Amino acid sequence: MITLVLADCPAGLRGLLTRWLTEISPGVFVGDPSARIREVLWEEVRQYRGRGRAVLAYSTDTEQGFGFATHEHRWRPVDHEGLTLIHRPADRPVPAPRSGPAPDGAASGWSKASKRRRFGGR
């Protein structure tokens, strides 16, 4: 079983994929082709995606029970002790924690109200 998700790809590529897979939502394809057909389809996606991006998830005989691949996507698969995880880069750099008092006498840390909104409770 495979699931293929396309974003911002040409309509011709979507038409090519419907020969082998079922499009259940715009840009989301599912099907059960053989591993050889899956590899051929993935190469077609990589070649004809235009400026779009693609994610492929497929069932396999591993500890997780599935494998996946990405193309032109910011999130990347990373092997971690035999498991494949997704590395999600930060949208913005995480600031280093401040030490000492805040500049210009400004309050540092969370206010009591913002702590309640963020973490709940009283």
Side-chain angles (χ1 to χ4, degrees), residues 22-108:
T22 302
E23 188 172 15
I24 61 171
S25 184
V28 180
F29 298 86
V30 295
D32 196 17
S34 66
R36 184 178 68 82
I37 298 298
R38 180 188 72 223
E39 293 301 320
V40 169
L41 290 174
W42 184 241
E43 286 304 316
E44 293 289 324
V45 167
R46 292 179 64 186
Q47 183 176 1
Y48 296 113
R49 66 170 173 73
R51 59 176 200 220
R53 62 182 189 266
V55 177
L56 170 70
Y58 54 92
S59 57
T60 186
D61 294 331
T62 62
E63 288 291 322
Q64 288 176 296
F66 63 91
F68 51 90
T70 62
H71 187 67
E72 294 296 324
H73 203 280
R74 290 186 57 221
W75 295 8
R76 295 184 327 272
V78 176
D79 183 26
H80 180 72
E81 296 181 4
L83 294 176
T84 305
L85 305 174
I86 288 287
H87 176 261
R88 295 172 35 179
D91 289 338
R92 54 193 149 125
V94 178
R98 290 188 275 178
S99 61
D104 300 330
S108 63

